[in-house]
Amino acid sequence: MFDQKYRHFTRFVFFVVLACLSLLSLFPNLIPAAADTLAAGLRGEYFDNEDFTTLKLTRTDATVDFNWGFDSPSPNINSETFSIRWTGQLTPPTTGNYVLVTQSDDGVRLWLGDQLLIDNVVPHPVTEDRSAAITLTAGQSYNLRLEYFELTANAIIRLLWIRPGQTSPEIIPAANLATPVNPNSAPTLASLSPSIIPLGSPNMMLTVNGSNFLPGAVVQINNAARPTTVVSSSQVTATMTANDLAIATQSKITVVNPLPGGGTSNPLTLTISGGFEGDVAPRPNGSNNGTITIADWTQLGRFAAGLDAVTVGAEYQRADCAPRSSLGDGRITLTDWVQAGRYAAALDPVTGAGGPTAPAMNLQEPSEEKIGIGSRKLGIDVQNWRVAFLPPADQQSLPAAEANIFTVQQSPKAIAIFCEGAGIENAVSFSLRFDADQWELLSYTPGNELRDATFLVNDKLNSAGLIGVALALPPNRHLNASHHQIAVLTFRNRLGNIAPSFSPLAIEFVDQPIAREVASNQAQQLKATFTSGFQSTRIARLAGVQPRRQ
């Protein structure tokens, strides 16, 4: 009977233990950190930069009382721009009010438990900072963390206290400091969600993914702690306040594991965006939701073709999105249109707005020699027209691939535009100048092989003898390495005039109202030549016309 009761009891104990272990596996945050033995002094982590991200040396320092002058703490650490983090425990010898003191050059922060006591991270010469008086109990250990960084010149850091009954600070002795032999390790960050947050957003939850998050871990934005929830060892969340999101900037996100030991993770960048590159629809602020759509691509095409004017400032900054590496170049051109298409097709990740907020050159009134030919060159259509005369692209810096854009007169009143390229061309833009006294544009159509291209024509200056053309294939598409008819423009004699037989239709490539440019499917500007009239029998044969010059 006793054996049976014993078996029932042991079985009951077994299931209770099993249930407890199951609960702990479901709620890993409830598992406490293992106790550890202690050694005298504080654990020092020495980093070869000022932001605690390149660990070079770990050691136990009996006290924090250093004056390296212009030297370095270690041969493998630069004498400038280094940082140190000390962690451990502080045990007071008597009960009473203590004042903790640092003497530093350049920056310093001191925590006791979760309370930030000293915060002086502005670079400064030798400065003494004191905490408010705090009551400590004799024999009780308090978690302590001291962070210090050095930028230039002298490197000095000391940790002191003013004990009860004293009036001047003294170095905290090793007997009152302790560090765990096997401390908690620092976490590692992998990603943020979201990684871009629109400027002016309300409070928002930030999810941080990584590894080795311990119970009590804290998310920091630019070294300032935020309310944190440890979801698991691989994920934590924190609340970003409206104040965090009030300024367009790039913020440093880190996670700090708790003492003993603990430490700060590698940093990740959270972009507080005043907008997004290529986000231009609806005007004037875009959607500002981190998504670029076909509407943005269409609107940017209208900007590049001069059909709509870009407003200087935030809209210009978002529209000027190419080259992507520099977030624009002070010009709204064909490459910006192609880059917006790449964003819309998710070929490139959405990027926070940056770069120029205005054209690289001042806006000017067009001069006579830049507008048209014939007596209509300064007609009513250009009286209020302002253009940005921008420097041509540096052909030496463009990719080696070269496209040849040329005109072929198909009939006395029709001009065909051909492109002979390298097989990576996605978009082409140019302007044509003609004699406005004799001719005016009647119609325009895309080439037979570009029926799925978007075709934009700026005919605002038709009466002044200027026509701009911009066309682009769908994102990431490109022409084959061959010759292609890309457009046909048909003209008619200006009403009221009869063009004399000795005044044929003459066409010349120019850069207003749309600049000459060829862009690849990668949104790169390509080397290109623009020739009025075919230049060889071979080209004439490719174009399917008899070889004659204009």
Side-chain angles (χ1 to χ4, degrees):
M1 184 70 174
F2 174 80
D3 290 343
Q4 185 177 2
K5 289 182 178 180
Y6 179 75
R7 286 195 298 271
H8 285 307
F9 175 75
T10 54
R11 184 178 300 169
F12 171 76
V13 171
F14 171 77
F15 282 113
V16 169
V17 172
L18 183 62
C20 290
L21 291 175
S22 299
L23 285 173
L24 289 175
S25 66
L26 291 174
F27 302 100
N29 295 348
L30 300 180
I31 303 175
D36 207 343
T37 58
L38 300 175
L42 296 176
R43 179 174 183 259
E45 297 172 295
Y46 290 73
F47 301 85
D48 194 21
N49 52 33
E50 72 275 16
D51 60 359
F52 308 93
T53 53
T54 307
L55 182 64
K56 290 291 186 178
L57 170 68
T58 301
R59 71 188 187 193
T60 299
D61 293 320
T63 61
V64 180
D65 183 12
F66 298 104
N67 182 350
W68 291 288
F70 291 89
D71 293 330
S72 163
S74 172
N76 64 342
I77 295 176
N78 196 301
S79 60
E80 310 288 357
T81 63
F82 63 85
S83 55
I84 310 168
R85 179 187 297 111
W86 287 277
T87 55
Q89 296 177 352
L90 172 70
T91 305
T94 59
T95 298
N97 291 331
Y98 288 75
V99 175
L100 298 187
V101 181
T102 59
Q103 295 172 355
S104 63
D105 176 353
D106 283 294
V108 65
R109 275 195 177 104
L110 175 66
W111 289 262
L112 199 63
D114 294 329
Q115 186 176 1
L116 180 61
L117 300 181
I118 293 174
D119 185 11
N120 186 359
V121 294
V122 177
H124 52 257
V126 181
T127 302
E128 182 173 285
D129 293 292
R130 299 187 178 192
S131 74
I134 53 176
T135 302
L136 304 179
T137 302
Q140 181 174 332
S141 295
Y142 299 86
N143 287 331
L144 179 145
R145 181 164 91 248
L146 173 66
E147 292 184 348
Y148 162 78
F149 69 84
E150 155 65 10
L151 289 181
T152 59
N154 286 316
I156 298 171
I157 179 63
R158 299 185 180 95
L159 177 61
L160 312 92
W161 62 8
I162 301 176
R163 294 186 294 164
Q166 291 183 320
T167 58
S168 59
E170 64 178 5
I171 296 295
I172 300 177
N176 301 105
L177 300 172
T179 186
V181 174
N182 296 304
N184 294 334
S185 58
T188 300
L189 305 192
S191 64
L192 302 177
S193 180
S195 60
I196 301 175
I197 300 178
L199 176 68
S201 296
N203 291 0
M204 181 171 290
M205 187 67 70
L206 177 70
T207 299
V208 184
N209 300 302
S211 59
N212 198 36
F213 298 132
L214 299 179
V218 175
V219 174
Q220 293 184 331
I221 178 169
N222 295 328
N223 299 318
R226 293 293 178 265
T228 303
T229 299
V230 181
V231 179
S232 68
S233 62
S234 60
Q235 188 176 89
V236 295
T237 61
T239 300
M240 300 289 103
T241 67
N243 287 337
D244 293 330
L245 310 175
I247 299 175
T249 185
Q250 290 189 319
S251 298
K252 181 178 72 173
I253 301 298
T254 52
V255 176
V256 180
N257 270 345
L259 298 171
T264 303
S265 70
N266 57 297
L268 294 179
T269 298
L270 173 67
T271 299
I272 313 302
S273 173
F276 301 91
E277 291 287 291
D279 182 12
V280 292
R283 298 189 69 186
N285 298 318
S287 60
N288 203 25
N289 62 4
T291 301
I292 310 302
T293 68
I294 197 69
D296 298 298
W297 180 65
T298 301
Q299 181 59 67
L300 229 159
R302 291 184 61 83
F303 287 150
L307 297 173
D308 294 330
V310 189
T311 303
V312 169
E315 185 176 60
Y316 192 98
Q317 186 177 57
R318 287 178 277 113
D320 184 15
C321 58
R324 185 168 178 264
S325 59
S326 59
L327 304 181
D329 59 0
R331 307 186 312 149
I332 307 296
T333 67
L334 196 66
T335 53
D336 299 296
W337 187 16
V338 176
Q339 182 59 62
R342 292 185 60 82
Y343 284 138
L347 298 169
D348 292 326
V350 178
T351 303
T357 58
M361 300 289 288
N362 292 330
L363 293 174
Q364 305 175 29
E365 296 295 345
S367 57
E368 289 193 15
E369 60 270 20
K370 295 184 181 292
I371 301 298
I373 53 179
S375 62
R376 295 178 181 268
K377 60 190 173 186
L378 292 178
I380 189 171
D381 288 329
V382 297
Q383 286 180 355
N384 298 312
W385 187 48
R386 295 171 65 81
V387 295
F389 293 112
L390 299 169
D394 180 5
Q395 291 286 314
Q396 298 302 317
S397 65
L398 298 180
E402 181 170 308
N404 180 28
I405 312 299
F406 58 94
T407 64
V408 172
Q409 188 164 351
Q410 288 194 324
S411 72
K413 296 182 179 181
I415 298 292
I417 313 297
F418 284 82
C419 172
E420 189 176 28
I424 58 174
E425 296 79 12
N426 173 268
V428 179
S429 66
F430 53 86
S431 294
L432 296 174
R433 180 162 60 185
F434 56 92
D435 187 348
D437 286 338
Q438 304 294 333
W439 300 96
E440 61 183 354
L441 182 67
L442 175 63
S443 64
Y444 41 83
T445 58
N448 294 330
E449 300 173 63
L450 280 81
R451 294 298 183 184
D452 57 348
T454 298
F455 194 75
L456 301 175
V457 172
N458 186 334
D459 59 357
K460 294 179 181 180
L461 301 177
N462 184 19
S463 63
L466 289 170
I467 295 294
V469 177
L471 59 95
L473 290 167
N476 211 35
R477 288 271 305 278
H478 57 82
L479 297 174
N480 297 324
S482 180
H483 78 287
H484 301 270
Q485 184 191 84
I486 59 177
V488 176
L489 285 78
T490 303
F491 294 81
R492 68 181 178 186
N493 301 121
R494 182 164 292 280
L495 296 178
N497 292 338
I498 298 177
S501 58
F502 54 84
S503 298
L505 175 61
I507 296 294
E508 178 185 3
F509 281 111
V510 291
D511 291 310
Q512 296 295 342
I514 307 177
R516 283 171 279 186
E517 190 174 5
V518 178
S520 75
N521 60 323
Q522 300 293 322
Q524 294 176 302
Q525 186 175 353
L526 302 175
K527 289 183 179 179
T529 58
F530 289 79
T531 307
S532 298
F534 51 82
Q535 298 298 303
S536 68
T537 301
R538 182 181 69 86
I539 292 178
R541 185 170 61 253
L542 290 174
V545 298
Q546 294 299 316
R548 71 168 199 174
R549 292 184 179 274
Q550 293 181 30

